[in-house]
Amino acid sequence: MREQTKPAVAEPARMRLTLHVWRQKNRQSAGRMVTYAADHISPDMSFLEMLDVVNEELVAKGEEPIAFESDCREGICGSCGIMINGVAHGPKRETTACQLHMRSFRDGDEITIEPWRARAFPIIKDLVVDRSAFDRIIQAGGYITAPTGGAPDANAIPVPKPDADFAFEAAACIGCGACVAQCPNASAMLFTAAKVAHLAVLPQGQPERYARVARMVDQMEVELFGNCTNHGECSAVCPKGIPLDMIGLLNRDFRKARITGSPMGDEKP
Ligand code: SF4
Ligand code: FES
């Protein structure tokens, strides 16, 4: 009887990369770029898995691993933001760093990896920044106070389809901060606009509509984010494709809130 041979399984190609990574011990200390070799990297790994491999090697050598944030690794939590070759979340459009695969790079590439750089996002360690300024903007107005009880039937409150689609598009913002990191002014307009817009077009969001926008914009300024000067870099790197139209809605609502003379937007125009 002829011996059956298994078909040879081709070894997956491996990549060799050179990484230049920002290392910074803590908020107070000065940081610097450190170069690492990343060998045996599969093109099918995600960018964060590639960093995991580098970290395993650092730990094996008794060195401090590179600190970076991640949680879902599915593009939904917003925690994994890093600058990759000067672009927030890297070279692939509408893709978070955790969903970016190493096949987007070439064998032998040099890759520069840095944290978000913005005054409102101080560096905690290496690639990890403090994005609690975003939480405080949400706390300032990103809620509704109407008692809504349990979840109503889907069609109990009629919402026109274009409004529902617009609200859904705005609600896709994952609060990653890429828009701030890429903006030359470190403006948080796209993030704030998305949070304002997703409630502004729904019936449930109407009672506080103008108070909300005034409070959130005021908080954005308190947190030392820059102003929007229409560069559009924010939307270009947003992993959820939040469009600049959201900023248009924010500006219109903010003007209405201010024209009515309510500094905290407490009255509905
Ligand atoms: S608007 Fe886009 S880039 Fe900005 S925080 Fe939201 S998802 Fe991230
Ligand atoms: S780890 Fe959650 S979006 Fe990347």
Side-chain angles (χ1 to χ4, degrees), residues 13-187:
R14 296 281 152 172
M15 306 166 77
R16 297 168 75 93
L17 304 159
T18 304
L19 309 182
H20 305 290
V21 185
W22 184 259
R23 303 301 312 262
Q24 182 171 335
K25 209 173 176 55
N26 53 41
R27 200 176 283 218
Q28 289 74 34
S29 61
R32 66 194 176 96
M33 300 301 290
V34 178
T35 299
Y36 299 99
D39 297 335
H40 313 298
I41 300 300
S42 162
D44 297 328
M45 283 178 184
S46 73
F47 201 86
L48 301 191
E49 285 167 343
M50 181 275 293
L51 287 177
D52 290 338
V53 169
V54 173
N55 274 346
E56 278 167 19
E57 287 172 7
L58 288 176
V59 170
K61 287 191 280 187
E63 294 179 30
E64 183 86 8
I66 300 159
F68 64 91
E69 254 194 285
S70 75
D71 188 354
C72 69
R73 298 200 176 200
E74 292 181 341
I76 52 177
C77 76
S79 63
C80 62
I82 43 178
M83 296 300 278
I84 301 170
N85 287 341
V87 180
H89 289 296
K92 203 145 180 249
R93 278 188 84 92
E94 297 191 13
T95 305
T96 53
C98 62
Q99 293 278 283
L100 177 67
H101 286 90
M102 296 314 295
R103 53 182 169 269
S104 299
F105 300 88
R106 283 177 308 192
D107 185 31
D109 271 358
E110 298 203 14
I111 306 175
T112 302
I113 310 169
E114 295 171 89
W116 290 165
R117 297 201 186 275
R119 190 165 42 162
F121 290 161
I123 295 174
I124 296 171
K125 185 173 183 177
D126 296 339
L127 306 175
V128 180
V129 300
D130 178 356
R131 282 173 300 174
S132 55
F134 270 8
D135 298 335
R136 291 187 289 275
I137 292 174
I138 298 283
Q139 281 165 2
Y143 52 82
I144 57 169
T145 54
T148 53
D153 285 344
N155 56 1
I157 304 173
V159 178
K161 180 79 166 77
D163 291 352
D165 287 348
F166 188 83
F168 195 77
E169 191 176 27
C173 167
I174 55 174
C176 63
C179 45
V180 175
Q182 199 69 36
C183 174
N185 307 327
S187 167

Side-chain angles (χ1 to χ4, degrees), residues 134 172-180 190-191 194 234 237-240 242:
F134 270 8
C173 167
I174 55 174
C176 63
C179 45
V180 175
L190 193 66
F191 163 79
C234 51
V237 297
C238 173
K240 298 298 156 186
I242 303 289

Side-chain angles (χ1 to χ4, degrees), residues 239-255:
K240 298 298 156 186
I242 303 289
L244 293 173
D245 306 9
M246 304 284 168
I247 296 180
L249 182 144
L250 179 144
N251 282 332
R252 285 193 298 278
D253 276 12
F254 183 71
R255 265 200 302 277

